[in-house]
Structures are given as structure tokens and as C-alpha cells.
Amino acid sequence: MTKKLFTTAAIVALLAGTAQAQLVIEKGSDERINWQSLEDFAAAHGDLSGQSFNIMGPWLGGDQELFQSVIAYFNDATGAQANYSGSDSFEQQIVIDAEAGSPPDIAVFPQPGLAADLAARGHLRPLGEETAAWLRENYAAGESWEALGTYAGPDGENALFAFPYKADVKSLVWFVPENFEDAGYEIPTTYEELRALTEQIAEDGETPWCIGLGSGGATGWPATDWVEDLMLRTASPEDYDRWTTNELPFNDPIVVNAIEEFGWFARNPDFVAGGVGAVTATDFRESPNGLFASPPACYMHRQASFIPTFFPEGTVIGEDADFFYFPAPEAGDLGQPVLGGGTMFAVMSDNPAAKAFIEFLKTPAAHEIWMAQRGFLTPHTGANPDAYGDDTLRRMGQILLDATVFRFDGSDLMPGAIGAGAFWTGMVDFVGGASAQQVADQIQQTWASLN
């Protein structure tokens, strides 16, 4: 029987960071959670009573409360005191604190590039080959996750500096099941079938896709996600990695091909709601509205796991709207790639309790406790999928578990002038009529100017 104690007193205690904070799920009360893994962790790491350390990250509001609910179990198991503080300017603050010699003991990085930069400057502590091997063995597509946290240190040697915990999935296509059923459409299981379905819907006189790139000063970013997903379906993971570092130039034919593949969807007026002009004019938050129009203004919308936030109020996922994995090519040589994001935990001091916290994050329970609540996905193969609080999260989690390759959002790995600048504007220009080659050449020129 699940017993969730989301009481005001519990949350207040958690926010206060007290070692005796009330646990949101009573130990032993939820059989989906591997409580034994917590006991084994406590036995292995002994009594840490009296020790304390600080964790700083980007989570505020609900995510902060949820993470603190997980921290409470570490404190309970060890007697140590882990204190979390969130910041809406984390990316700037962590650099200031590190350079000032007053960093937190653990930092939670939403962008691997920033962690890599601080590792190169000697601010992160290596987590060791044992933890690297653990990731390879216990995370689906484990080598991908190990690589995500592996950076060059100040000596130029690569080492694992960051532990991935809490993932996001971007390789999703959203649809309305009733619309598919009424039209007799089936969910595509290969990329070739996805293209064929796109053509079929258009031949039926309907519109396959809603695509919106509008996002104020960040207009264009949804197209970068499209291109990244298509890079993983038209090129190798190694090429993707070389692309994000510019070892593979942005105007290489491999990249130009992926941009043109995006154009196959976005620049065909028969394929996008409102015509090509609407793609850049439509705000990404309003773009999925066409799925729910009557008759449907579109049948599919590619967007990350957060997009239901902008669905009509009362939409029930799994009934009123649903999703499927953005499928891989039929040939199978590229595996089952998944594009996503996540957070990386890095140790910035020699505090032994902070190092023990990374070991705590390896336990299934450290994942399952958050899974049982909301807003958490994990590639941990040892975590119980039944622990997810709802079927939507469980199915997204399964996409992570089925992945043979996981790659982080490429634009977030690129220099800001590219990933949050030239790439965004270049995609707007491309949808507006510029050729893929012209756009790629311009982005490459910008990248070259940074050197």
C-alpha cells in the first residue's frame, strides 16, 4: 500500500533542512520502492552524524520540494545534514562562487558544457572509474551517460566528473488518439513509416503537423530540437558528438542533410498547419492547439515531455492526448536514439559526506522515491518502473530504458553564440526560404569567428 504524506508540516520540515524531516513516503509502506537499497547504503557508508554539506542547483518551487523530499532519506540513513538551495541564476552564481573559492560541496548542473568548463579549470572532483563503470552497467545506454559526465580536467586528462540524475525526453511526437482512430491512422514504428504517414495525411486532404518556432527572443529553438533528433536518425552518434564540438563543421554535408530533412517536414505547405509562414509566426506554446481543434488543424506535434503544460486545461494524457517515440530508421544500424536533457551532479569539495551523497544517488530508492511522486524520469535499469506515479511517466521512462543511444540537446552543448544564437536564427532563416547550405555556412562562419 502506498502511503504519501504530502502534509504542510512535512514540506516545512524539508524546506527547513532538518535532519529529522518527516519522510514523504513512510519507509516500508510502498512495496514499489527498494527500501533494502537504502539499508545497504547506510550499512556501507556508516554513521555520518554531525557532518553537513551544501548542494546548489537550478531547482526552485515544486522541483526543489521534490528533491528535498529525496534528500531527507539520505539524512535519515546517514545522520548527515544535506542542505539544498536553488537559484534562478545558477549558471552565473556557480561560476562566481567557484572562482571566489566558496563553491557548494555539490552542484547540480543543467548543462554539461558548464560542468565541463569548471572541470577544466580544476573546480570539480573526479568521481572515479568505479562510478564510471557503475554508469555503464546500470544505466540504459550507459556509455552515453558516462560520456555525458566525462570531461578533461586541468591536466587535460579525461575523467568522470559529473553523475547524471533526473532526465528529460525530447524524442516524442504528440497526437490525439481519437483523431488517429477516426482517420484510421496507426502509430508509426519506423522513421520511414513516419514519413509515409505524413504523406498519407496530406493526401487525405488533412494537415499532418503543427510546428511553431516562436519564443520571443529565443525564437527558433524548437527547430534546433528537430534538427538534433534528425541528426541522430540520419548520422551516427559519433558524428553528432563531433558536430556539437565543431570537429564536424556545421556546413558539412552530414549536417546540411539533417537540416534539409527538417525542411521536408517544415517547408512543405501541405505538411504544416497554417502553411510555411505560420511555422515561424506561431508561438511554440500555442503550436499544439491545432491537435485539439475540431476538425483537427493537425495530427502530430513533435515536442519534449514538458509540452502538456500548454495543452487545454483538463487534458488527460493517455486519453485526450498521447505520445509516441520519434521512431528510428528501419535499418536499425543507428539503434534506438533518444534526444533529451538532464541534470548532472558534481562534487566541488573534499567533504566525505558529499561524496557519500553520490553513492546514495546510485541506489534504486533514490530514484524511486521521486518517481513515485511526479516530474522525474530515469535511465536507471535497477529502478522499479512500477514506482512511477502515473502511466505517462512510466511510458516515457520506458523510452529511456529502451534507448541504445542517449544524446543531450546539441544546442545546449554548443557555445552560447551558436546554440542560443546563430543556430536559432539560422533555422528561422531556413524556414523563411534560405537554403540549408546558406544557413549552415553562416552558422559555421559565426563559429569560426569564436576561435
Side-chain angles (χ1 to χ4, degrees):
M1 178 180 177
T2 303
K3 190 173 182 181
K4 299 180 182 179
L5 306 177
F6 292 104
T7 65
T8 301
I11 295 300
V12 168
L14 289 170
L15 293 175
T18 59
Q20 301 302 316
Q22 188 172 1
L23 306 180
V24 294
I25 304 173
E26 184 179 310
K27 286 193 296 184
S29 67
D30 189 334
E31 295 180 355
R32 301 172 302 168
I33 294 174
N34 186 341
W35 301 109
Q36 185 62 46
S37 69
L38 279 182
E39 295 184 18
D40 293 343
F41 163 75
H45 294 279
D47 185 4
L48 299 176
S49 297
Q51 299 190 41
S52 65
F53 62 96
N54 297 316
I55 304 172
M56 184 170 76
W59 294 321
L60 296 166
D63 277 344
Q64 174 168 331
E65 293 176 1
L66 288 161
F67 179 50
Q68 286 174 308
S69 77
V70 176
I71 289 176
Y73 292 84
F74 171 85
N75 292 348
D76 180 76
T78 63
Q81 182 62 44
N83 301 299
Y84 173 79
S85 61
S87 171
D88 58 4
S89 57
F90 167 82
E91 289 83 352
Q92 294 76 33
Q93 192 62 48
I94 192 63
V95 174
I96 294 171
D97 291 352
E99 294 294 343
S102 56
D105 299 288
I106 292 177
V108 184
F109 291 92
Q111 294 181 332
L114 179 56
D117 182 55
L118 290 180
R121 290 151 71 177
H123 293 301
L124 306 187
R125 303 291 189 270
L127 301 181
E129 172 55 32
E130 182 179 339
T131 295
W134 186 93
L135 285 172
R136 292 194 297 270
E137 295 167 5
N138 292 277
Y139 272 21
E143 291 184 357
S144 296
W145 290 101
E146 178 198 6
L148 194 60
T150 299
Y151 321 121
D155 58 0
E157 295 294 319
N158 283 340
L160 182 74
F161 283 99
F163 186 91
Y165 174 80
K166 190 178 186 296
D168 299 302
V169 174
K170 294 195 171 189
S171 299
L172 301 175
V173 178
W174 296 86
F175 70 107
V176 172
E178 184 179 357
N179 294 345
F180 265 50
E181 184 178 348
D182 289 346
Y185 300 140
E186 295 184 359
I187 294 173
T189 58
T190 68
Y191 182 64
E192 292 81 2
E193 289 181 0
L194 180 67
R195 284 180 57 119
L197 176 60
T198 298
E199 293 174 325
Q200 181 62 54
I201 294 173
E203 288 171 7
D204 291 344
E206 303 292 341
T207 304
W209 294 92
C210 279
I211 302 176
L213 307 187
S215 186
T219 292
W221 73 258
T224 69
D225 282 3
W226 266 92
V227 173
E228 289 153 9
D229 250 333
L230 292 168
M231 275 288 290
L232 291 172
R233 284 151 183 79
T234 59
S236 70
E238 292 75 22
D239 283 336
Y240 183 94
D241 296 337
R242 293 170 59 230
W243 171 54
T244 63
T245 63
N246 207 221
E247 182 183 349
L248 180 73
F250 216 105
N251 56 356
D252 186 276
I254 291 174
V255 183
V256 172
N257 177 63
I259 297 172
E260 289 177 337
E261 195 70 13
F262 168 59
W264 186 87
F265 294 92
R267 300 214 311 185
N268 186 328
D270 294 332
F271 287 177
V272 287
V276 176
V279 172
T280 53
T282 303
D283 190 282
F284 81 93
R285 287 157 285 217
E286 298 174 358
S287 183
N289 289 348
L291 295 173
F292 305 98
S294 182
C298 63
Y299 281 78
M300 293 180 287
H301 181 73
R302 186 230 155 272
Q303 190 50 274
S305 53
F306 70 80
I307 198 61
T309 301
F310 304 105
F311 287 174
E313 186 176 352
T315 300
V316 177
I317 306 303
E319 298 179 14
D320 305 317
D322 211 340
F323 63 89
F324 58 84
Y325 165 68
F326 192 99
E330 184 176 10
D333 54 335
L334 296 177
Q336 291 282 102
V338 171
L339 178 72
T343 49
M344 315 291 293
F345 280 61
V347 177
M348 302 186 72
S349 78
D350 295 321
N351 188 311
K355 294 178 180 179
F357 191 81
I358 300 298
E359 296 301 313
F360 166 72
L361 294 181
K362 297 177 183 178
T363 67
H367 298 246
E368 293 159 347
I369 289 163
W370 198 335
M371 290 163 69
Q373 298 179 72
R374 64 184 187 276
F376 185 87
L377 297 173
T378 179
H380 193 330
T381 57
N384 181 7
D386 291 338
Y388 279 114
D390 62 62
D391 186 60
T392 297
L393 289 172
R394 185 178 303 109
R395 291 168 53 221
M396 289 181 182
Q398 192 61 49
I399 289 174
L400 282 175
L401 294 178
D402 290 341
T404 58
V405 172
F406 180 89
R407 286 298 184 269
F408 205 88
D409 181 295
S411 60
D412 283 346
L413 299 175
M414 298 173 185
I418 305 300
F423 196 0
W424 289 352
T425 57
M427 290 301 96
V428 173
D429 292 342
F430 173 64
V431 174
S435 73
Q437 189 66 58
Q438 288 173 326
V439 167
D441 286 342
Q442 184 59 53
I443 297 172
Q444 182 56 35
Q445 288 177 16
T446 303
W447 205 319
S449 71
L450 303 179
N451 298 330

